Amino acid sequence: MIHIGVIGLGAIGQRLINQFKQHDKVTITAVCDRTEALAKETADNLGDVQAYTDYKQLLSNDEVNLVYVAVPPKFHHAIVMDAIQAKKHILCEKPLANSLEEAREMADAAKEAGIVHAMNFPLNYGQAATKFAELINENYIGKLRRLQLSMHFPEWPRAWQKNDWVGGREQGGFVLEVGVHFIQQTLKLFGELHNIQTRLEFPEDPTLCETGIIATAELADGTPVLIEGISGQAGKEHIGFTAFGSEGVLTLENWGELRGGKTGDILEPISLETATNKRLIDELVKAVNGQEADLYDFEVGYQAQKVLEELRK
């Protein structure tokens, strides 16, 4: 049984808490949040769980052997470095850190400590993204001609995610919060990005995050990559990650929908029945128990952060 300490009890932290609760090989032993009432409420709902407002007290709990860091990016570095010092395994939210220098130090320290260190990149375990990867590797679209990421939001922050940082320029914005998932997929499936050119739109308030982005890049072979996004618009939220090829098109939409078609045909939904179905928590359990696991570690987080910093210049 893996004993988990959760640091950060906002919307994202609560989402993964629900997944931890449903797994028979893990138990939540402690929770921590700077808001005492939230920490106590969460602990009471879980039952027989220790509540803290100081993460260092949670790290000193010898029963906890893995910590899930779900605080805003600005605080990742300090908490993760202390968790490494305490010899705890770590699952960290994305982006890895609030700067490239912090991310590099965290990745190096975790590797040297010999602990399990993983990023919460859930797309890798979703059936639609898994099937997307399988079809790309099976040459479904032929030779890649263009890769495009589109991110459209009626409002940002989204209604369920409003807090004091996700809409801020220092550590928030949809490029960081949403774009990072697809940057990681791009690096995983297609390789490094080069020659990144970006144009950002910002509101007049210098504390607020971007409201638009148009960026271009290239894969190693020169294949063009387009990244565009906008917030504050009519219509529904739409996320699209599309590969245009010499023989067809494949598009992953809104996290869990997959459509494709051969050249000249219309795009049709693609069945996910045969897609590989893995779960992040299953892979964490394997890794902590010394087994081979499908995890995306801090080095992956660092490589994604390199691209993010270029896009946010």
Side-chain angles (χ1 to χ4, degrees):
M1 185 67 71
I2 297 176
H3 293 267
I4 296 175
V6 180
I7 303 174
L9 303 176
I12 301 300
Q14 298 288 349
R15 182 180 297 173
L16 212 57
I17 281 175
N18 290 330
Q19 296 180 36
F20 288 139
K21 286 165 53 180
Q22 297 168 18
H23 202 284
D24 61 358
K25 293 294 194 303
V26 306
T27 184
I28 300 174
T29 298
V31 296
C32 177
D33 197 276
R34 292 187 302 178
T35 303
E36 184 176 7
L38 178 57
K40 288 184 175 179
E41 179 185 2
T42 303
D44 289 344
N45 290 338
L46 290 168
D48 195 27
V49 170
Q50 182 68 50
Y52 299 99
T53 55
D54 183 345
Y55 77 87
K56 292 184 178 181
Q57 292 180 347
L58 182 148
L59 293 178
S60 68
N61 185 327
D62 291 335
E63 194 176 6
V64 172
N65 54 9
L66 184 146
V67 295
Y68 169 41
V69 180
V71 297
K74 183 177 181 177
F75 306 106
H76 285 188
H77 178 264
I79 294 174
V80 165
M81 295 302 289
D82 285 341
I84 292 170
Q85 186 69 28
K87 298 295 183 182
K88 308 292 188 185
H89 303 300
I90 304 169
L91 172 65
C92 187
E93 269 302 329
K94 62 358 160 204
L96 179 56
N98 207 40
S99 73
L100 199 55
E101 294 75 20
E102 289 180 348
R104 181 71 271 165
E105 184 179 4
M106 292 158 67
D108 289 345
K111 182 178 180 180
E112 183 177 346
I115 60 168
V116 173
H117 49 102
M119 300 291 298
N120 185 22
F121 282 129
L123 263 184
N124 295 288
Y125 308 98
Q127 287 185 299
T130 300
K131 189 67 175 180
F132 182 98
E134 290 175 358
L135 290 172
I136 289 294
N137 291 330
E138 292 169 5
N139 207 33
Y140 174 88
I141 64 167
K143 178 177 171 53
L144 182 67
R145 297 172 56 199
R146 177 190 297 176
L147 191 63
Q148 180 169 327
L149 170 60
S150 296
M151 302 172 286
H152 295 176
F153 303 93
E155 62 173 347
W156 186 273
R158 294 165 287 189
W160 59 270
Q161 202 179 18
K162 293 187 183 296
N163 56 47
D164 60 359
W165 64 270
V166 78
R169 194 170 303 187
E170 180 184 18
Q171 53 180 335
F174 60 80
V175 174
L176 278 178
E177 280 292 297
V178 174
V180 64
H181 293 281
F182 298 93
I183 294 303
Q184 187 263 319
Q185 290 293 300
T186 298
L187 298 176
K188 171 186 171 181
L189 297 176
F190 304 104
E192 293 185 0
L193 290 168
H194 304 275
N195 193 25
I196 297 172
Q197 306 291 324
T198 187
R199 178 176 178 179
L200 294 165
E201 175 190 79
F202 288 105
E204 291 185 5
D205 187 335
T207 68
L208 297 180
C209 70
E210 76 281 349
T211 52
I213 183 173
I214 298 176
T216 59
E218 296 176 351
L219 300 178
D221 63 359
T223 301
V225 178
L226 172 63
I227 299 170
E228 63 90 10
I230 194 167
S231 65
Q233 58 158 54
K236 295 181 179 180
E237 177 178 324
H238 182 266
I239 311 295
F241 184 58
T242 306
F244 299 90
S246 60
E247 298 177 19
V249 173
L250 197 60
T251 183
L252 173 62
E253 298 181 327
N254 299 324
W255 308 100
E257 304 166 16
L258 186 62
R259 295 191 299 146
K262 295 296 183 178
T263 301
D265 296 337
I266 63 172
L267 296 180
E268 298 281 5
I270 292 177
S271 172
L272 305 179
E273 290 182 3
T274 61
T276 304
N277 188 17
K278 292 184 178 181
R279 295 193 299 173
L280 169 61
I281 301 173
D282 289 337
E283 302 305 313
L284 278 173
V285 170
K286 289 179 186 177
V288 171
N289 289 323
Q291 301 171 351
E292 184 176 345
D294 186 10
L295 292 176
Y296 297 84
D297 63 14
F298 285 6
E299 185 62 34
V300 173
Y302 170 75
Q303 295 301 330
Q305 185 120 13
K306 284 174 61 177
V307 177
L308 288 171
E309 297 300 328
E310 288 291 316
L311 291 174
R312 299 176 75 230
K313 279 186 176 179

